[in-house]
Amino acid sequence: EMQVVESGGGLVQPGGSLRLSCVASGFAIGSTDMSWVRQAPGKGPEWVSTVETGSYRTDYADSVKGRFTISRLNSKNTLYLQMNNLSVADTAMYYCRPGGKTWSINPRGIWGQGTQVTVSS
């Protein structure tokens, strides 16, 4: 059974930082592209970032480029998202998903419970 469990979210002030973690089971995180997706209340899923399986090439949405960093630790089967200089617009539920940019926002496939990030004064 393939599963993902996200953690690390919380309440943070504008300009603050958080690091999200995603622990996978049932599949090897190093054997597939991995992405972070976020969803605000009443809105559809928004792709945030991807790290490729072989090249370790990374890609980011324009809205987070220069502020967020995606990484993985294959030995622990864990994906990370370091988020710096957070703004109110970053408030959303964050999800870890296997697959690249186009697949990550597809409603099909694996979804975890997500971890809530709230940026507020």
Side-chain angles (χ1 to χ4, degrees), residues 46-61:
E46 176 190 9
W47 171 77
V48 174
S49 184
T50 296
V51 57
E52 294 182 1
T53 179
S55 66
Y56 205 73
R57 175 183 176 271
T58 59
D59 196 14
Y60 300 90

Side-chain angles (χ1 to χ4, degrees), residues 68-87:
F68 290 12
T69 303
I70 189 171
S71 62
R72 67 188 184 202
L73 187 58
N74 293 346
S75 62
K76 293 188 177 294
N77 221 30
T78 302
L79 182 75
Y80 302 96
L81 185 68
Q82 178 67 45
M83 306 186 297
N84 298 326
N85 195 24
L86 287 162
S87 68

Side-chain angles (χ1 to χ4, degrees), residues 23-35:
V23 179
S25 60
F27 69 99
I29 203 169
S31 297
T32 180
D33 297 348
M34 295 294 297
S35 295

Side-chain angles (χ1 to χ4, degrees), residues 97-117:
R97 305 207 68 203
K101 177 181 179 179
T102 57
W103 177 255
S104 66
I105 61 173
N106 196 305
R108 299 169 57 193
I110 301 170
W111 289 90
Q113 292 297 113
T115 184
Q116 178 67 43
V117 172

